């Protein structure tokens, strides 16, 4: 598990409050994430509205997108992550919010990106949250996501020194949820990534690029 999983409840949010800036150090320069951001920036019009779900420290996603001239909103359940992001990426807007209850503005967003925000929740919530994020993509808009795939429910693991319980969906199920939500998948692939730091093990990442027909 990596990047910025979306915590489930206050105790899990506290984990990410404690991890803070160490998260950015452990998961710097993830090739698939950088490629997804390049894909998004190549598709979006100037001043496009972009939502970054599970925005973490603001780097690299919100920072890259804001630097490209887009109007970026980041949401994260961790107050500490939001604080760091506001300091590091003043050109974007960040708020403390949970993907499961967040209400998108009327008209949605020109793009939504979600890099590993759905892992620390129950499996039915993963599917529901994925569909919610897809529904926020406006007609003609784009969607980019990454996760650790697998038919996983309620698996207890140690992540950056903290006990967390994770769930996910198999790749085919991830794609099916997006397609049922009206998105067209343009590209998907899996890749191994080894986080920085002692004892880190390689993990499988799934990347998906999609769009909503105009």
């Amino acid at each position: 598990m990596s990047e910025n999983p979306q915590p489930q409840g206050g105790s899990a949010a506290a984990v990410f409050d404690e991890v803070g800036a160490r998260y950015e150090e452990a998961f710097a320069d993830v090739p698939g994430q950088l490629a997804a951001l390049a894909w998004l920036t190549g598709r979006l019009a100037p001043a496009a509205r972009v939502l970054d779900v599970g925005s973490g420290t603001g780097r690299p996603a919100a920072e890259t997108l804001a630097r490209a001239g887009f109007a970026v909103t980041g949401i994260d359940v961790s107050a500490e992550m939001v604080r760091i992001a506001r300091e590091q990426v003043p050109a974007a807007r960040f708020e403390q919010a949970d993907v499961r209850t967040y209400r998108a503005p009327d008209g949605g967003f020109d793009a939504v990106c979600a890099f590993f925000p759905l892992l620390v929740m129950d499996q039915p919530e993963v599917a529901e949250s994925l569909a919610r994020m897809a529904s926020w993509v406006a007609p003609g808009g784009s969607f980019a996501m990454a996760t650790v795939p697998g038919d996983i429910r309620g698996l207890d693991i140690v992540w950056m020194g903290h006990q967390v319980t994770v769930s996910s969906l198999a790749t085919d199920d991830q794609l099916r949820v997006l397609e049922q939500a009206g998105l067209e998948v343009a590209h998907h692939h899996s890749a191994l990534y080894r986080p920085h730091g002692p004892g880190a093990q390689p993990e499988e990442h799934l990347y998906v690029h999609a769009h909503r027909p105009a």
Side-chain angles (χ1 to χ4, degrees):
M1 189 184 76
S2 71
E3 287 298 315
N4 185 30
Q6 195 77 15
Q8 182 176 6
S11 60
V15 169
F16 296 97
D17 287 343
E18 293 181 17
V19 169
R22 292 192 296 119
Y23 149 77
E24 185 178 326
E25 298 169 2
F27 298 100
D29 304 321
V30 183
Q33 184 180 18
L34 299 178
L37 290 170
W39 178 78
L40 279 180
T41 56
R43 290 179 57 86
L44 297 175
R49 300 158 299 148
V50 184
L51 178 66
D52 179 13
V53 179
S55 47
T57 66
R59 294 174 176 165
E63 183 178 63
T64 299
L65 296 165
R67 187 179 294 153
F70 307 130
V72 180
T73 298
I75 62 171
D76 200 288
V77 295
S78 166
E80 178 64 8
M81 290 294 197
V82 170
R83 184 194 67 78
I84 294 171
R86 286 171 176 168
E87 287 187 354
Q88 295 194 145
V89 191
R93 174 179 174 270
F94 298 94
E95 61 180 281
Q96 187 177 3
D98 190 314
V99 65
R100 293 165 295 185
T101 55
Y102 175 74
R103 298 179 69 89
D106 291 344
F109 294 88
D110 301 306
V112 174
C113 63
F115 298 109
F116 307 92
L118 305 182
L119 290 165
V120 184
M121 56 177 64
D122 198 12
Q123 196 176 54
E125 295 176 310
V126 174
E128 180 182 352
S129 298
L130 189 57
R132 283 174 58 81
M133 293 191 301
S135 75
W136 300 334
V137 179
S142 302
F143 178 79
M145 66 162 285
T147 192
V148 177
D151 185 6
I152 302 165
R153 185 171 190 182
L155 177 65
D156 293 327
I157 66 170
V158 176
W159 178 74
M160 296 192 71
H162 296 274
Q163 284 280 348
V164 293
T165 302
V166 300
S167 300
S168 188
L169 300 174
T171 294
D172 288 348
D173 293 327
Q174 303 266 1
L175 300 179
R176 185 177 302 110
V177 170
L178 295 176
E179 290 168 348
Q180 289 175 345
L183 299 188
E184 294 183 356
V185 175
H187 168 80
H188 69 90
H189 77 278
S190 296
L192 289 179
Y193 176 76
R194 183 189 294 273
H196 301 282
Q201 298 298 314
E203 54 193 37
E204 181 184 6
H205 291 175
L206 168 68
Y207 297 93
V208 181
H209 304 173
H211 66 273
R212 183 177 297 283

